[in-house]
């Protein structure tokens, strides 16, 4: 009876797992055609070979990596279903032009992730905000007025039952074949793991995939300290759900720890409680105490899959997202050093040469870029996770705006942390001007991710806020310079604003901030056009896999 009910829900969901609601009959032709204005946009991603030196690894460790890549490929297929719904292989086979097909593969569908999810193939409608997590005919009013189990769940799809009413289907049931295959691979991989804690985590993560109960495996992941190989795998981030930000997308990263760099970073996490107490906001918004068991490490990433590989590529990770785990254990911050270096070389330096005043270009450094990115992730652990007025967690209260505001918080508090640690002498490389100027160049990099990205929205809000407060100036010929004093003032005042909005769970206030400041104005649009004219990549894409690694 249970299987029949699930089958009925999936059938009655109509477009939910097929994606047909987002494509008209014109797209069902033998060959998909490009929207004309996209002819010059297919080269915005710079190809980068994602390789690493594996010579120091044992044969067991190499076999382990191969299995983790196999499990990651299943996460990749699952994210295609969540993001698009149509069969990936038949969709891509319908695109004859190689560059266009590659662009579609990068975007996991026919919508440009770095341009507000606009369709770049003829015949496709605008992407629905809820992707494939919700029925396409469902309105917000219907959802909010309905009463059904797991309504705000991370690990379920919203579907219609046989009576047309909203209900949910757990990921472990909707994707049972894929989840069981991935779980079996992780269990097999655990037999090759030379670190006992990592082997335990792989087995617990396998069980989580089958049961939709991830917290225990998150705690196990936090307890690992000595594993050289790591994997982040499962339904994790909620960015793809732009309707409410409730439901998690599948993704995976396969990682090798950089021991030398990790040792350099270990000292910073210990300062979190002190930095939390010093935040520039009323004490009621900083009463929570960050977990003291957090750690900070550098990795070479050797495989991306699913959400992490769609559109703009992640260069640092701060997990787990579970608020209870964060308060008890903190988080792990993983800096993806090789991917970060690739973005700095191919994107950041050319941006600085184009938009930063010559006097400050030398202040744009990889050291500052690495630190700003790192402290962005560390700063996710600062501030507040639960509202002060019983509106639940910040994520629940702010709904679809939660991700953008959280990314904005992490960026701005990351700068606050850098300033404090430089003053204490804990950071002993570079000057504050390096970090501020590199941060400014970084805004131009991230704002190009577009309005559909939480990071892009956060950068637009911050750019406009900084401009209003004189944190930078723009010359007549379009070159930017940072005003050190006013930048510091803007960092503190914006920190206070964001933390207050989060602590109050002020949905209306955040919506107003995003609406009024989350847009690209004329001068910035012209400057971004200059980056495009200079053929500066917007982001990178990877040549990756077992063959690239020599496995």
């Amino acid at each position: 009876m249970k299987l029949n009910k699930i089958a009925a829900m999936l059938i009655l969901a109509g477009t939910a797992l097929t994606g047909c609601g987002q494509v008209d009959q014109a797209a069902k032709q033998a060959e998909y055609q490009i929207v004309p204005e996209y002819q010059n946009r297919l080269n915005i991603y710079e190809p980068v070979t994602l390789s690493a030196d594996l010579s120091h690894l044992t044969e067991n460790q190499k076999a382990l990596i191969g299995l983790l890549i196999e499990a990651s490929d299943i996460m990749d297929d699952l994210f295609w279903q969540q993001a698009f719904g149509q069969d990936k292989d038949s969709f891509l086979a319908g695109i004859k032009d190689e560059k266009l097909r590659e662009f579609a593969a990068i975007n996991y569908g026919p919508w440009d992730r770095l341009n507000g999810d606009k369709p770049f193939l003829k015949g496709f409608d605008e992407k629905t905000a809820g992707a494939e997590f919700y029925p396409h005919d469902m309105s917000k009013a219907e959802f909010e007025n309905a009463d059904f189990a797991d309504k705000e769940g991370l690990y379920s799809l919203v579907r219609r039952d046989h009576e047309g009413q909203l209900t949910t289907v757990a990921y472990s049931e909707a994707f049972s074949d894929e989840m069981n295959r991935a779980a079996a691979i992780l269990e097999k991989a655990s037999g090759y793991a030379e670190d006992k804690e990592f082997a335990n985590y792989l087995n617990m993560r396998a069980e989580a995939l089958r049961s939709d109960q991830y917290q225990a495996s998150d705690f196990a992941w936090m307890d690992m300290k000595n594993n050289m190989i790591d994997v982040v795998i499962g339904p994790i981030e909620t960015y793809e759900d732009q309707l409410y930000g409730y439901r998690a997308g599948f993704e995976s990263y396969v990682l090798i720890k950089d021991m030398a760099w990790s040792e350099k970073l270990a000292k910073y996490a210990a300062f979190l409680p002190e930095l939390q107490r010093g935040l520039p906001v009323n004490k009621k918004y900083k009463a929570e105490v960050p977990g003291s068991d957090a750690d900070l490490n550098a990795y070479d990433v050797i495989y991306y899959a699913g959400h992490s590989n769609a559109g703009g590529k992640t260069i640092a990770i701060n997990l787990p997202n579970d608020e209870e785990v964060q308060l008890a254990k903190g988080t792990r911050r993983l800096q993806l050093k090789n991917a970060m270096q690739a973005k700095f070389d191919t994107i950041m330096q050319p941006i600085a040469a184009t938009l930063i005043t010559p006097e400050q270009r030398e202040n744009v450094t990889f050291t500052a870029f690495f630190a700003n990115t790192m402290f962005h992730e560390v700063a996710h652990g600062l501030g507040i996770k639960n509202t002060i007025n019983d509106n639940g967690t910040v994520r629940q209260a702010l709904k679809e705006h939660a991700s953008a505001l959280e990314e904005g918080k992490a960026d701005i508090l990351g700068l606050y942390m850098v300033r404090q640690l430089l003053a204490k002498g804990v950071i002993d490389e570079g000057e504050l001007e390096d970090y501020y100027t590199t941060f400014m160049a970084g805004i131009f990099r991230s704002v190009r991710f577009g309005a559909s990205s939480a990071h892009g929205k956060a950068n637009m809000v911050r750019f406009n806020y900084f401009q209003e407060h004189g944190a930078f100036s723009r010359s007549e010929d379009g070159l930017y310079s940072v005003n050190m004093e006013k930048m510091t003032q803007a960092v503190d005042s914006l920190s206070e604003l964001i933390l207050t909005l989060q602590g109050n769970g002020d949905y209306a206030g955040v919506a107003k901030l995003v609406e009024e400041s989350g847009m690209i104005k004329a001068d910035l649009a012209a400057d971004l056009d200059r980056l495009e004219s200079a053929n500066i990549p917007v982001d990178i894409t990877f040549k990756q896999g077992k063959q690239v690694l020599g496995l």
Side-chain angles (χ1 to χ4, degrees):
M1 185 66 183
K2 187 175 183 183
L3 288 176
N4 290 336
K5 180 182 178 184
I6 292 168
M9 286 188 287
L10 294 179
I11 292 169
L12 288 167
T15 63
L17 291 181
T18 64
C20 293
Q22 299 189 45
V23 56
D24 64 25
Q25 294 299 318
K28 296 178 182 178
Q29 52 194 315
E31 181 179 349
Y32 296 115
Q33 301 293 327
I34 191 171
V35 174
E37 56 264 35
Y38 267 87
Q39 290 289 354
N40 297 323
R41 193 171 162 82
L42 300 182
N43 294 314
I44 65 171
Y45 293 92
E46 180 72 15
V48 172
T49 298
L50 203 56
S51 60
D53 179 12
L54 307 184
S55 61
H56 61 294
L57 301 182
T58 66
E59 291 306 310
N60 272 357
Q61 289 173 322
K62 292 176 182 178
L64 170 60
I65 288 173
L67 289 167
L68 295 179
I69 289 174
E70 290 178 19
S72 299
D73 286 336
I74 296 174
M75 299 300 109
D76 199 70
D77 290 338
L78 287 170
F79 184 70
W80 268 95
Q81 294 184 52
Q82 292 179 315
F84 184 31
Q86 289 194 35
D87 179 73
K88 175 182 69 172
D89 293 335
S90 60
F91 166 66
L92 293 176
I95 305 174
K96 304 307 179 186
D97 181 80
E98 183 178 353
K99 288 296 296 184
L100 183 57
R101 185 168 60 251
E102 181 182 331
F103 195 72
I106 292 169
N107 283 282
Y108 285 64
W111 302 284
D112 185 354
R113 290 175 174 271
L114 301 191
N115 191 25
D117 280 329
K118 293 181 180 178
F120 56 83
L121 293 177
K122 291 181 180 178
F124 284 89
D125 299 330
E126 294 294 323
K127 185 178 181 181
T128 60
E132 302 302 315
F133 298 112
Y134 307 89
H136 295 164
D137 63 352
M138 183 196 79
S139 68
K140 273 198 163 187
E142 180 187 11
F143 180 86
E144 289 164 8
N145 291 327
D147 182 19
F148 55 95
D150 204 35
K151 183 175 178 179
E152 300 176 1
L154 281 167
Y155 312 121
S156 63
L157 302 169
V158 177
R159 295 292 179 256
R160 295 193 183 279
D161 62 19
H162 63 285
E163 296 178 347
Q165 301 301 307
L166 296 179
T167 187
T168 54
V169 183
Y171 285 176
S172 61
E173 297 183 46
F175 308 118
S176 59
D177 288 347
E178 295 93 334
M179 297 297 238
N180 281 313
R181 283 193 289 116
I185 293 171
L186 292 183
E187 287 169 343
K188 182 178 179 180
S190 71
Y192 290 92
E194 298 175 2
D195 181 85
K196 291 182 179 180
E197 290 179 335
F198 186 49
N200 178 58
Y201 163 69
L202 291 175
N203 283 315
M204 294 185 72
R205 202 64 172 178
E207 176 56 30
L209 291 173
R210 294 189 179 107
S211 66
D212 304 298
Q213 302 296 318
Y214 287 88
Q215 189 177 81
S217 63
D218 282 344
F219 274 112
W221 190 69
M222 286 299 300
D223 290 337
M224 296 188 309
K225 302 298 179 186
N226 303 309
N227 52 307
M228 181 174 291
I229 296 169
D230 206 344
V231 65
V232 174
I233 190 167
I236 298 170
E237 301 288 5
T238 61
Y239 301 127
E240 192 70 10
D241 177 2
Q242 295 185 47
L243 190 64
Y244 286 104
Y246 291 155
R247 293 178 151 78
F250 288 96
E251 64 183 324
S252 183
Y253 307 80
V254 182
L255 308 155
I256 299 176
K257 194 171 187 178
D258 186 316
M259 304 302 290
W261 274 74
S262 294
E263 287 178 11
K264 291 169 58 178
L265 306 182
K267 59 185 178 182
Y268 295 126
F271 288 89
L272 274 177
E274 178 183 345
L275 291 166
Q276 172 85 347
R277 292 191 295 270
L279 288 172
V281 69
N282 187 288
K283 63 182 180 181
K284 62 185 177 182
Y285 298 104
K286 53 184 177 181
E288 295 176 356
V289 179
S292 59
D293 200 24
D295 63 349
L296 187 61
N297 292 286
Y299 292 81
D300 281 331
V301 55
I302 54 175
Y303 204 72
Y304 285 75
H307 177 266
S308 66
N309 196 43
K313 305 301 184 290
T314 300
I315 53 178
I317 304 168
N318 177 62
L319 291 171
N321 287 327
D322 186 311
E323 291 90 353
E324 292 181 10
V325 179
Q326 289 183 4
L327 290 174
K329 293 280 190 178
T331 60
R332 289 179 60 198
R333 287 91 175 187
L334 293 73
Q335 313 307 305
L336 311 184
K337 185 170 64 68
N338 56 340
M340 208 179 296
Q341 184 73 60
K343 289 203 183 192
F344 183 80
D345 294 342
T346 61
I347 302 170
M348 282 287 287
Q349 286 189 317
I351 286 176
T354 305
L355 294 183
I356 301 298
T357 186
E359 293 78 14
Q360 290 187 332
R361 283 176 195 165
E362 64 181 18
N363 295 112
V364 179
T365 68
F366 179 71
T367 295
F369 181 56
F370 184 93
N372 286 345
T373 306
M374 173 179 65
F375 284 110
H376 165 103
E377 300 306 331
V378 176
H380 277 300
L382 296 178
I384 194 163
K385 304 299 178 187
N386 298 289
T387 59
I388 65 171
N389 47 14
D390 297 323
N391 279 334
T393 66
V394 171
R395 181 180 63 82
Q396 291 168 331
L398 299 185
K399 302 179 182 178
E400 74 272 21
H401 297 307
S403 292
L405 195 67
E406 176 63 21
E407 294 306 327
K409 181 205 81 172
D411 272 333
I412 208 71
L413 292 189
L415 271 189
Y416 154 80
M417 293 181 71
V418 166
R419 190 177 80 232
Q420 298 299 318
L421 295 176
L422 274 170
K424 294 176 180 295
V426 177
I427 296 177
D428 55 9
E429 295 181 82
E431 302 173 351
L432 186 58
E433 190 169 4
D434 296 342
Y435 297 88
Y436 278 179
T437 309
T438 302
F439 187 87
M440 187 72 210
I443 291 179
F444 295 119
R445 180 185 71 85
S446 294
V447 81
R448 299 171 82 199
F449 292 167
S452 65
S453 157
H455 295 80
K457 288 178 183 177
N459 276 278
M460 286 184 253
V461 169
R462 185 167 50 260
F463 180 91
N464 291 321
Y465 188 94
F466 282 172
Q467 187 173 46
E468 292 168 7
H469 288 76
F472 62 82
S473 60
R474 181 183 183 273
S475 67
E476 291 183 1
D477 53 354
L479 295 177
Y480 290 79
S481 59
V482 173
N483 181 307
M484 295 295 291
E485 181 179 354
K486 291 184 178 180
M487 176 68 90
T488 293
Q489 293 170 355
V491 166
D492 286 351
S493 62
L494 183 55
S495 297
E496 182 179 24
L497 173 61
I498 290 175
L499 291 169
T500 302
L501 288 169
Q502 287 187 320
N504 292 340
D506 187 353
Y507 178 87
V510 179
K512 181 180 179 182
L513 177 66
V514 172
E515 180 181 359
E516 294 179 351
S517 298
M519 82 289 289
I520 298 176
K521 297 180 182 177
D523 280 349
L524 178 57
D527 294 331
L528 295 179
D529 286 343
R530 288 163 55 202
L531 299 180
E532 184 175 344
S533 298
N535 294 318
I536 298 172
V538 178
D539 211 87
I540 55 180
T541 188
F542 298 119
K543 300 175 182 178
Q544 60 174 2
K546 292 184 184 181
Q547 188 173 357
V548 170
L549 295 168
L551 296 176

